Amino acid sequence: MKLHKYSVGTGDRFAHQGKAQLQACVNALSSGVEVVPVWNKSNREHTIIGSEPISARKSADAAVQALGWKLPYHVDADHITVATVDRFVAPCDFFTIDVADFIGQPADAADIDAFVKRHAGLIGSIQIAGVDAPFNITSADLQAAAQKFLAAVKKAGEVYRKVSGIKGADNFIAEVSMDETDRAQSPVELLIILAAIADEGIRVQTIAPKFSGRFNKGVDYVGDVTQFEREFVLDLAAIDFAVMRFGLPANLKLSVHSGSDKFSIYPAIHRSIKKFNAGVHLKTAGTTWLEELIGLAEAGGDALELAKEIYAEAFAHREELCAPYATVIDIDPAKLPSPETVCGWSSEQYTSALRHVQSNPAYNNSLRQLLHVGFKVAAKMGPRYLDLLEANEPVIAKNVTENLFDRHIAPVFLGRGA
Ligand SMILES: [Zn+2]
């Protein structure tokens, strides 16, 4: 099973927007680019919502059937570990093996020595096509990277073998993710990590490093875009080299996590993948849940009232809701409107504050992040929330499709200004 060159990860927390999300890929196809959908849902999301991975599979299959989608599609066991993978094995065919927690844990001294000896050929200056300056790797770099990442890669190998033992190595797509950690990995580190992944026998098709800059949930990138682009290009060069040198799958590509709404780096991603004729996996999540809220608010009546109630609840429980996401949100409490203020809002006031249109003066980045982490509030409402989703499907679907296509797929894969 081979992942397409271009793919988009979409999260569908309440499993009601599969068709609307797939429609964005249909729109891409009519615009001349094949972007394959991957429905991703992490163990944490399933736990908060109270859903099982099989529900993501059923929803994906139903959307594909309804729209007559003929290209491949996948269901991603997002950020799974050896402890959480079991219930994902049957329904999923894409596995994001998260080993960030094991970065920095000590590997066996003998393993480190063997790794450094095996890859001594990397020491020195490596000139890679497409980049001006060579990669300079010292023996200390190799040693340090092995110390830092070898134990994590071995953990990835455990999960990979567990899945391949059950499904067969050719029947799933493996991603290795290292993004949920505090320090970005350099392109040289990425190259060395790929050497270790190849040694471990993992047929990795996508790799998710942590890039520099902040990737806050559901809002734009915060950081130096020029530096991001420089590093992204070097990462692509490192991948090209690793594929040739270590015999990794030829379609190996970068996976950009928390890719939702990182508008200011999308042109850089587009330019870089064009330059290298590279693929990319853009993993979004959460942005669709916010479009559900926007659609409810836009619908007015009961639906707008429910959207206001969700804000009020999220505001009341903001500390508890934000705590698990502390490292990936930046909310300015002074910018959060009071629930009483929001209670008086029209549909337009609510949608203008929430919809991610930065040129709109009413857009409120703090409110957006609070609601982003507030999906637990809607999950607790259960059928009250789901019934209104169903009753207002057309207006919600329109927002979901437009958001995914116009703001994400078009700038990244088609190079259109967002
Ligand atoms: Zn991630």
Side-chain angles (χ1 to χ4, degrees):
M1 183 175 289
K2 208 176 136 211
L3 182 61
H4 253 55
K5 183 173 183 180
Y6 298 146
S7 49
V8 64
T10 62
D12 186 10
R13 305 225 195 274
F14 297 98
H16 273 59
Q17 307 309 330
K19 279 189 286 178
Q21 293 172 323
L22 183 57
Q23 185 61 47
C25 295
V26 171
N27 294 357
L29 202 53
S30 354
S31 305
V33 62
E34 292 186 357
V35 180
V36 155
V38 179
W39 278 278
N40 44 254
K41 203 165 190 174
S42 66
N43 192 58
R44 179 169 64 183
E45 275 180 274
H46 279 297
T47 307
I48 290 174
I49 303 275
S51 54
E52 284 295 324
I54 184 72
S55 63
R57 160 62 61 190
K58 283 186 179 153
S59 164
D61 289 349
V64 162
Q65 176 125 45
L67 270 64
W69 178 253
K70 297 286 184 281
L71 292 172
Y73 65 101
H74 306 284
V75 180
D76 178 4
D78 201 6
H79 284 283
I80 44 85
T81 64
V82 79
T84 55
V85 68
D86 289 347
R87 63 176 174 155
F88 291 88
V89 173
C92 294
D93 59 355
F94 187 125
F95 293 79
T96 297
I97 305 172
D98 182 347
V99 292
D101 282 352
F102 302 98
I103 295 174
Q105 291 206 358
D108 232 41
D111 287 342
I112 293 177
D113 282 349
F115 178 83
V116 170
K117 278 207 188 86
R118 191 160 50 245
H119 294 289
L122 293 175
I123 295 167
S125 181
I126 303 171
Q127 185 60 54
I128 303 177
V131 292
D132 304 331
F135 278 41
N136 290 307
I137 302 179
T138 64
S139 116
D141 291 336
L142 195 57
Q143 182 86 27
Q147 260 160 359
K148 191 157 183 208
F149 298 107
L150 202 55
V153 172
K154 290 202 175 287
K155 277 284 168 195
E158 258 179 60
V159 182
Y160 179 81
R161 285 185 293 274
K162 190 170 188 182
V163 177
S164 64
I166 300 169
K167 294 187 88 79
D170 295 331
N171 300 319
F172 71 99
I173 292 156
E175 167 163 323
V176 175
S177 77
M178 298 192 163
D179 62 305
E180 296 195 348
T181 181
D182 45 9
R183 205 183 64 85
Q185 292 107 36
S186 71
V188 163
E189 285 175 330
L190 178 65
L191 177 58
I192 298 169
I193 289 165
L194 289 172
I197 286 176
D199 286 353
E200 198 61 22
I202 302 171
R203 303 297 294 159
V204 66
Q205 297 189 43
T206 56
I207 176 116
K210 181 179 174 67
F211 301 103
S212 44
R214 275 185 78 84
F215 285 70
N216 289 333
K217 294 279 175 192
V219 293
D220 204 352
Y221 177 75
V222 182
D224 179 341
V225 176
T226 311
Q227 187 193 346
F228 171 85
E229 185 164 4
R230 193 163 49 236
E231 289 173 2
F232 196 84
V233 161
L234 292 173
D235 284 344
L236 294 177
I239 285 177
D240 272 359
F241 177 84
V243 165
M244 278 189 308
R245 178 78 161 242
F246 312 125
L248 289 165
N251 64 329
L252 172 63
K253 60 182 181 176
L254 285 171
S255 172
V256 181
H257 278 215
S258 287
S260 291
D261 301 272
K262 299 297 171 286
F263 303 151
S264 58
I265 55 171
Y266 287 175
I269 293 175
H270 181 75
R271 274 193 299 276
S272 309
I273 59 175
K274 286 286 158 188
K275 182 174 171 190
F276 278 80
N277 191 21
V280 72
H281 181 58
L282 182 76
K283 188 174 280 195
T284 73
T287 195
T288 286
W289 135 249
L290 292 174
E291 294 303 323
E292 287 180 341
L293 275 182
I294 289 170
L296 289 173
E298 198 175 311
D302 288 359
L304 173 62
E305 289 314 309
L306 189 84
K308 291 176 179 177
E309 191 182 326
I310 289 171
Y311 179 74
E313 273 297 296
F315 186 88
H317 298 281
R318 58 191 180 281
E319 270 153 40
E320 158 205 342
L321 291 170
C322 292
Y325 296 95
T327 58
V328 283
I329 47 177
D330 270 321
I331 293 176
D332 178 355
K335 299 252 165 70
L336 291 173
S338 71
E340 293 72 31
T341 303
V342 172
C343 190
W345 278 358
S346 64
S347 287
E348 218 232 307
Q349 283 173 299
Y350 196 111
T351 59
S352 304
L354 180 55
R355 191 177 276 136
H356 200 175
V357 177
Q358 294 173 39
S359 57
N360 186 335
Y363 167 63
N364 185 328
N365 157 308
S366 290
L367 170 137
R368 185 170 165 91
Q369 290 178 83
L370 175 60
L371 285 170
H372 190 288
V373 299
F375 66 97
K376 196 176 184 175
V377 172
K380 276 194 186 149
M381 290 174 165
R384 260 186 82 208
Y385 179 71
L386 299 179
D387 288 351
L388 280 167
L389 283 188
E390 284 161 23
N392 297 285
E393 191 192 333
V395 59
I396 293 171
K398 177 179 157 286
N399 280 291
V400 168
T401 304
E402 249 174 42
N403 174 54
L404 196 56
F405 181 73
D406 294 349
R407 300 197 193 97
H408 295 85
I409 290 176
V412 170
F413 300 103
L414 291 158
R416 287 189 198 158

